[in-house]
Amino acid sequence: DAKTTQPPSMDCAEGRAANLPCNHSTISGNEYVYWYRQIHSQGPQYIIHGLKNNETNEMASLIITEDRKSSTLILPHATLRDTAVYYCIGGRRTGNQFYFGTGTSLTVIP
Amino acid sequence: DAGVTQSPTHLIKTRGQQVTLRCSPKSGHDTVSWYQQALGQGPQFIFQYYEEEERQRGNFPDRFSGHQFPNYSSELNVNALLLGDSALYLCASSLGSGGRSTYGYTFGSGTRLTVV
């Protein structure tokens, strides 16, 4: 599974877009990029995943570079409830073990 | 549709004791994985159960063992508890170790274990 690198912390003003970067230069061709977030003392929550193409759902957008070595999670209009630790994970679409790093702690500021 | 259910939510044990944590997977899921999350760290993979067998294991000692039942629910057992075993234990379910899951894992809210 791909090793990922994320900044340890970020701030974002409420109502603005939050852009969370992730480097996954060792990702292989069949590995997806998954994003999860964890609000304090809860279990991680699925946000979005993608392989090659950009993806969008009701929570966020995922932009994957053409060489697949990095991606950006975009929360279009951050709210205070989006304050959480965000994990970027490279993994096969097989339910196999995920390797979590320490993630990015996002703080949304009023 | 019930998600992943874990019990108990909190637990305090004494060093040297044994503990059993329980997990019911999301409806329709057949694979259960367990993760340990120490304070300030990301979750670390312990093991995964599919078809009532341990399929994969992370870097955890034999004191950590598990079981999966025919109804896909699972238990995590930890023997000879150490102070360092204090952590949030997360159960995650998915569909098929062989991979038809679109969303990877669905996680429970965890069991907070404190060893004193």
Side-chain angles (χ1 to χ4, degrees), chain B residues 47-110:
Chain B
F47 42 54
Q48 182 182 84
Y49 277 84
Y50 173 67
E51 293 184 334
E52 301 180 47
E53 291 187 10
E54 183 182 296
R55 299 290 177 167
Q56 295 187 65
R57 189 178 183 91
N59 188 26
F60 279 81
D62 292 344
R63 297 187 299 109
F64 290 78
S65 63
H67 189 77
Q68 187 179 34
F69 299 94
N71 66 353
Y72 309 122
S73 66
S74 176
E75 290 182 348
L76 165 66
N77 301 293
V78 186
N79 294 322
L81 284 166
L82 304 174
L83 297 179
D85 295 331
S86 294
L88 180 67
Y89 288 85
L90 295 162
C91 172
S93 72
S94 57
L95 177 60
S97 183
R100 295 183 300 280
S101 171
T102 300
Y103 301 115
Y105 292 117
T106 300
F107 282 85
S109 296

Side-chain angles (χ1 to χ4, degrees), chain A residues 76-94:
Chain A
H77 306 287
T79 71
L80 299 180
R81 289 176 295 180
D82 291 324
T83 293
V85 177
Y86 288 77
Y87 294 100
C88 165
I89 303 158
R92 293 184 295 276
R93 189 180 167 183
T94 61

Side-chain angles (χ1 to χ4, degrees), chain A residues 34 36 38 41-46 49 87 92-102, chain B residues 35 37 41-43 45 48 56 90 94 96-97 99 101-105 107-109 112:
Chain A
Y34 289 87
Y36 281 74
Q38 187 173 26
S41 294
Q42 297 181 22
Q45 175 193 22
Y46 168 83
H49 75 285
Y87 294 100
R92 293 184 295 276
R93 189 180 167 183
T94 61
N96 286 340
Q97 56 182 295
F98 279 173
Y99 292 95
F100 289 82
T102 52
Chain B
Y35 286 78
Q37 186 174 24
Q41 302 296 316
F45 177 77
Q48 182 182 84
Q56 295 187 65
L90 295 162
S94 57
S97 183
S101 171
T102 300
Y103 301 115
Y105 292 117
F107 282 85
S109 296
R112 173 72 63 187

